[in-house]
Amino acid sequence: MEPIGAEGRDAMRGLLGAVNESLGAPMAPPWEAACREVPRHAFLPEKVWVGEDLKECSRGAAPGEWLRHAYADTAVVTQVNDGQTAAEVGERWASCSASAPSVVFRMLDMLDVRPGHRVLEIGTGTGWNAGLLAHRLGPGLVTTIEVDPALAAQAAGCLERVGLGAEVVQGDGARGHAASAPYDRVVATCSVRAVPPEWVAQTAPGGVVLVPWESPWFCYGLLRLTVDGYGGASGFFFPHSAFMLMRGQRTDLRIYRDVVRDSHVPVESTTRLSPGSVAGEDWAAQFAVGLQLPDVWRTWHDDSDVEGVASRLWLATTDATCWAAVDGDGRAPHRFTVWEHGPRRLWVQAEAAYGWWRGAGSPGPERFGLTVTPDGDHVPWLDTPDNHVPVRT
């Protein structure tokens, strides 16, 4: 393995300090040792993309800048456009990244691995997370699966060069990897909108499934499930992190391309509830609304070209059969025009979801949980599994 050098050692010390500050406590000694001995830079490709505009940063052209990104406590994009060429900056979108180290070590701590545990990781990415786990557990106990053949090959090469014995499997992570099951721990490094039943089935009773969560409404949170031994699993959400969605659960929908049609005749009404209340800066509200509307997504059009409309919130179902638009004119702060089309009144449902959340005391994500039943149903709850959250479909 290439030596890290003096500059790299300084960057490593800075990273450890930043991670400890973010976690609010020092890393557990085994994870600190793994961080030092499994260097993050050894798993990053020669070219990464940084910043909101995904500016290209090459190790060959700017080695100092590249190393700073390698040891910053931020996510680093390691692939754009699923590996396809994107010449123009505006055409780039992130399809793989190395997660912020503080998020990585928070999840590893939540995973609570013990000596002898067998771990399945979904979403190999760069391979760094699998390398940290293999350093902690030893050879032959970590299996990691990656859907992208190029990423899988790169990660396998990195793990081999560092000398860590994690098995890299190229395939669909949603199916798990039955050949090495059962696992004591399953961890995903991509978000999901539904927990694949294979992950629960391939986890030993009492084992843990830790996954980043996303609803079409809002991408946020971690879900830590304990498998019950009867085909189900249950556990709480935690208010940390946002990850890229698993490729097999992606939806590519656009309002004017896929949803709204010239022939639609929407129903008009008014509301006093600000659309910013349900889709603004309050992450707890958005999380709760997303749990209740599991097939509804939303997008803002802040520069609407409609006369008299200063901002517009769009809501639509993932099957594109229903939509709603909530318009503000920028002058009346408590009156908004609502347009709804389809068999469901989506804004009415959003108002009800928000009202339920406020009536429950405006709980944060950490008070919510989810049960995955043996038949694959997902049942959200508040505080206890018997206190179901209303799901509006």
Side-chain angles (χ1 to χ4, degrees):
M1 182 176 63
E2 180 182 350
I4 190 173
E7 185 178 1
R9 287 192 293 272
D10 289 342
M12 172 71 79
R13 284 192 291 271
L15 175 60
L16 288 170
V19 170
N20 288 338
E21 181 177 356
S22 179
L23 297 179
M27 256 191 285
W31 290 127
E32 180 175 338
C35 185
R36 291 183 182 277
E37 297 170 27
V38 186
R40 190 183 190 220
H41 80 275
F43 289 82
L44 294 185
E46 291 294 307
K47 183 191 301 181
V48 298
W49 293 264
V50 297
E52 292 185 1
D53 59 351
L54 296 180
K55 174 187 173 184
E56 185 178 299
C57 178
S58 168
R59 186 178 189 182
E65 181 184 0
W66 184 91
L67 189 64
R68 286 193 296 274
H69 289 301
Y71 286 100
D73 188 22
T74 56
V76 177
V77 173
T78 57
Q79 186 196 68
V80 295
N81 298 51
D82 286 341
Q84 303 301 311
T85 301
E88 300 297 327
V89 171
E91 297 175 355
R92 297 173 186 163
W93 49 272
S95 54
C96 182
S97 69
S99 300
S102 59
V103 173
V104 169
F105 286 104
R106 185 185 300 278
M107 290 182 66
L108 290 174
D109 185 63
M110 291 174 64
L111 202 58
D112 190 28
V113 295
R114 307 291 176 85
H117 274 175
R118 301 182 64 84
V119 178
L120 173 65
E121 179 193 38
I122 311 297
T124 309
T126 67
W128 188 49
N129 199 64
L132 294 169
L133 282 163
H135 181 278
R136 176 76 182 266
L137 294 173
L141 294 175
V142 177
T143 300
T144 179
I145 185 165
E146 171 60 52
V147 68
D148 188 300
L151 293 178
Q154 292 169 11
C158 291
L159 288 162
E160 184 177 358
R161 284 191 293 274
V162 175
L164 293 167
E167 179 187 10
V168 180
V169 177
Q170 192 277 310
D172 182 0
R175 299 178 181 177
H177 187 60
S180 299
Y183 304 98
D184 300 285
R185 300 289 187 266
V186 172
V187 59
T189 61
C190 52
S191 64
V192 298
R193 294 175 176 174
V195 179
E198 289 86 349
W199 297 0
V200 175
Q202 293 173 21
T203 304
V208 169
V209 177
L210 179 63
V211 299
W213 184 257
E214 174 174 328
S215 67
W217 190 275
F218 190 50
C219 176
Y220 182 67
L222 296 171
L223 174 62
R224 189 181 192 273
L225 300 170
T226 300
V227 174
D228 60 20
Y230 300 97
S234 190
F236 277 96
F237 290 98
F238 293 81
H240 305 295
S241 75
F243 282 73
M244 296 177 190
L245 186 64
M246 173 178 278
R247 292 191 186 186
Q249 295 188 13
R250 289 177 183 171
T251 52
D252 179 21
L253 292 171
R254 300 179 188 178
I255 289 293
Y256 293 117
R257 185 190 69 186
D258 305 308
V259 180
V260 177
R261 298 287 181 263
D262 291 340
S263 60
H264 290 172
V265 181
V267 175
E268 181 182 356
S269 62
T270 60
T271 181
R272 295 180 61 83
L273 177 63
S274 166
S277 296
V278 298
E281 298 300 320
D282 193 329
W283 288 17
Q286 290 201 68
F287 183 85
V289 170
L291 276 184
Q292 296 174 73
L293 302 176
D295 65 341
V296 178
W297 58 284
R298 49 82 176 175
T299 188
W300 285 95
H301 283 177
D302 290 321
D303 298 317
S304 173
D305 58 1
V306 178
E307 184 178 354
V309 176
S311 66
R312 171 173 284 178
L313 174 66
W314 287 99
L315 288 64
T317 53
T318 53
D319 64 3
T321 60
C322 303
W323 60 264
V326 187
D327 294 343
D329 62 11
R331 298 188 300 272
H334 302 297
R335 181 181 174 84
F336 304 89
T337 303
V338 180
W339 309 91
E340 294 174 294
H341 173 80
R344 290 165 58 185
R345 294 291 177 257
L346 294 188
W347 180 248
V348 171
Q349 291 187 338
E351 284 187 312
Y354 180 78
W356 177 88
W357 175 72
R358 288 295 300 272
S362 305
E366 71 281 356
R367 286 182 56 193
F368 288 95
L370 186 80
T371 295
V372 180
T373 68
D375 57 7
D377 289 339
H378 287 50
V379 183
W381 41 266
L382 178 65
D383 295 327
T384 59
D386 59 349
N387 186 21
H388 294 178
V389 171
V391 175
R392 307 166 197 279
T393 57

